[in-house]
Amino acid sequence: MTDRPASPGPVACVIGWPVKHSRSPVIHRFWLRQYGLPGDYVIHPVAPEEITGFLAGFADGPFVGCNVTVPHKEAAFAAVDEVEAAGRAIGAINTIWREGDRLVATSTDGIGFLANLDEGAPGWDQAAGPAVVLGAGGAARAVLWALAERGFAPIHVVNRTRDRAEALAARFGSAIRPAGWDALPDLLGRARVLVNATSLGMEGQPPLDLDLTGLPEGCVVTDIVYVPLETGLLAAARRRGLRTVDGLGMLLHQAAPGFEHWFGRKPEVTPALRAAVLRDLGVG
Ligand code: ATR
């Protein structure tokens, strides 16, 4: 069952299956309230066998747009009329909006990642050089796009399953260098930025145990995991005196482009929004 919209005006939603744990309503409802805008953002479960029909009928439905989460990212990519460049490069979409009678989509995860680092570690990309990314899943794809956008090279992709890292090299080109965990001590010694894009260190998952001794002084360390907010990786980097950026800001910033498309106002990521989402997560 879809949540009932709380007020008249444009309504956007998040589609997925299951989707009830999505934090997106907290973020968008916070902004709607903050700016005094009419409208709402609701959770709308769509079963896998219903996704094609749901998107085919979108123009006649009640929603101005939606976020897309698992398992619909591929089906939605194929079903919309246009995918913007970032979505095509990343190979996934998470945000859909209407332009006239057309459905347009993109992935905002990469720009969310960049905005989070720009805010949390200003100047982090000024001396773009080698980067190390742990993981080669969907989140890693957005991170690689983002780092390549800012000129980082080479980007070493370290993943348990080597084939997945190789596939990313084929997608993103020669700046991407697949590597195994055994190469890390050497790679970390030259890293300007270190990103955890695996699920390691997340609550309920195995820890991410890395020796950060070799990281250069200027290296910035960030994690896409935000529960806990300070992961073991970030705590170790902070103890070493390195600049760290937690993963919550990526979640908040990736929501902003959708809000602007649907509700017509560019929203801000503020400490009050962060606090509201942390309360909802029961973290912090
Ligand atoms: P997401 O879309 O969030 O990136 P994913 O596609 O399932 O999720 O990717 C999870 C990432 O965490 C992958 O890089 C995965 O490594 P594999 O490709 O080898 O599966 C990594 N990961 C998850 N659990 C891991 C573990 N116990 N040890 C090492 N890497 C792990």
Side-chain angles (χ1 to χ4, degrees):
M1 277 287 288
T2 304
D3 293 352
R4 188 183 298 274
S7 72
V11 180
C13 65
V14 53
I15 59 170
W17 188 265
V19 66
K20 67 175 185 292
H21 298 298
S22 171
R23 304 295 159 180
S24 294
V26 176
I27 301 171
H28 291 285
R29 286 178 167 177
F30 181 94
W31 280 329
L32 287 167
R33 268 198 315 277
Q34 179 184 350
Y35 301 121
L37 294 171
D40 202 3
Y41 183 103
V42 299
I43 284 178
H44 186 72
V46 176
E49 61 276 16
E50 290 168 1
I51 182 65
T52 307
F54 173 78
L55 288 171
F58 200 89
D60 303 318
F63 301 116
V64 290
C66 64
N67 285 125
V68 182
T69 187
V70 267
H72 299 319
K73 292 188 172 198
E74 281 78 23
F77 191 108
V80 297
D81 298 300
E82 180 186 339
V83 177
E84 288 193 338
R88 288 200 306 275
I90 292 168
I93 60 159
N94 66 354
T95 305
I96 298 178
W97 63 96
R98 299 182 190 201
E99 286 185 13
D101 56 2
R102 303 170 68 246
L103 285 185
V104 185
T106 197
S107 167
T108 62
D109 285 339
I111 49 174
F113 175 83
L114 292 175
N116 187 34
L117 280 162
D118 288 343
E119 186 190 327
W124 69 283
D125 59 344
Q126 296 225 315
V132 175
V133 176
L134 310 174
R141 288 213 302 257
V143 169
L144 294 186
W145 174 84
L147 292 174
E149 279 285 300
R150 294 291 174 90
F152 284 88
I155 306 173
H156 301 284
V157 180
V158 175
N159 198 50
R160 175 179 60 181
T161 311
R162 179 79 179 217
D163 288 0
R164 292 185 90 189
E166 307 270 357
L168 294 185
R171 168 176 283 278
F172 289 99
S174 61
I176 309 298
R177 309 271 170 82
W181 288 84
D182 52 338
L184 266 179
D186 181 42
L187 299 178
L188 291 181
R190 282 171 278 138
R192 304 286 315 161
V193 58
L194 169 63
V195 184
N196 176 39
T198 72
S199 46
L200 296 174
M202 190 186 295
E203 200 171 85
Q205 298 293 317
L208 172 58
D209 280 325
L210 280 191
D211 180 0
L212 302 185
T213 318
L215 278 179
E217 298 255 304
C219 184
V220 174
V221 180
T222 187
D223 206 322
I224 60 151
V225 171
Y226 55 85
V227 180
L229 194 56
E230 185 175 72
T231 60
L233 174 71
L234 296 181
R238 185 172 50 79
R239 282 195 297 272
R240 265 234 31 216
L242 302 171
R243 286 205 289 175
T244 62
V245 181
D246 68 53
L248 182 63
M250 180 174 170
L251 174 75
L252 305 179
H253 282 287
Q254 65 77 31
F259 188 90
E260 189 173 358
H261 280 298
W262 307 321
F263 303 111
R265 172 155 186 170
K266 192 182 175 97
E268 285 173 299
V269 171
T270 56
L273 173 65
R274 249 181 97 85
V277 175
L278 284 173
R279 264 197 309 281
D280 188 66
L281 287 165
V283 172

